[in-house]
Amino acid sequence: MKRAIFPGSFDPLTLGHYDIIKRGITLFDEIIVAIGINASKKYMFSLDERQQFIIDAFKDEPKVKVVTYKGLTVDFCQKNNVEFILRGLRNPADFEFEKAIAHTNRDLAPIETIFLLTSADTSYIASSIVRDVIRNNGDYTKLVPDSVRVKP
């Protein structure tokens, strides 16, 4: 069984994330969407809200599992028998950043990182941009799956 972890903070889940997960499903038997917990980071959405956004977005997809974790992604992979890390690339800056992480991960454990290019129509979407749109009362619904909604 080929399993991949798709790690991130998902604050919130965007259409870019959604696209990578949907396309990853065609490559792997299981995609574990793993929400990393970082106590030093201030999130817009609670961990429970972020988890529910993803669960609701993939409620009809049995190949997607949603978990939370702390610590190194490679440690999570080794403890859970996951051989692949799935990452999306939007632009050259993402590539350089992700390449450094992938090389570090390979030094730490025998884990392969698989990169998928984001679709052209979602390549500009970042969670930080979505949060800014939300903070400024813009129409964020064009940037996220239907499961992601701000409570009034």
Side-chain angles (χ1 to χ4, degrees):
M1 182 170 178
K2 283 195 269 183
R3 302 167 76 213
I5 181 176
F6 184 52
S9 59
F10 305 103
D11 188 35
L13 178 72
T14 69
L15 288 176
H17 297 132
Y18 184 85
D19 175 64
I20 295 295
I21 296 165
K22 287 296 276 187
R23 290 170 43 222
I25 289 167
T26 67
L27 302 173
F28 298 98
D29 299 310
E30 182 178 61
I31 302 284
I32 301 168
V33 181
I35 305 170
I37 300 170
N38 183 340
S40 64
K41 214 171 172 183
K42 179 140 174 60
Y43 297 105
M44 175 176 272
F45 296 95
S46 72
L47 181 60
D48 288 341
E49 287 174 310
R50 290 179 281 144
Q51 197 167 9
Q52 199 59 54
F53 291 156
I54 301 166
I55 290 168
D56 291 347
F58 293 97
K59 66 181 179 291
D60 297 324
E61 182 47 69
K63 291 172 75 173
V64 174
K65 179 179 173 184
V66 184
V67 301
T68 61
Y69 77 106
K70 290 182 184 178
L72 295 175
T73 302
V74 292
D75 290 344
F76 175 91
C77 290
Q78 289 185 306
K79 288 176 191 164
N80 292 279
N81 199 26
V82 177
E83 298 177 276
F84 301 96
I85 298 171
L86 178 63
R87 300 298 294 159
L89 298 175
R90 293 173 295 189
N91 54 47
D94 277 358
F95 173 74
E96 290 301 325
F97 178 74
E98 293 291 345
K99 181 178 78 165
I101 293 171
H103 285 310
T104 302
N105 286 340
R106 280 292 286 146
D107 282 345
L108 296 173
I111 309 291
E112 290 293 341
T113 301
I114 307 298
F115 297 110
L116 291 181
L117 297 178
T118 56
S119 298
D121 57 342
T122 64
S123 64
Y124 67 96
I125 302 172
S127 291
S128 58
I129 292 171
V130 174
R131 289 191 304 271
D132 197 44
V133 171
I134 291 169
R135 277 189 207 98
N136 290 287
N137 300 312
D139 183 7
Y140 66 93
T141 62
K142 300 172 183 176
L143 307 171
V144 297
D146 291 341
S147 64
V148 177
R149 292 298 178 258
V150 176
K151 295 173 187 166

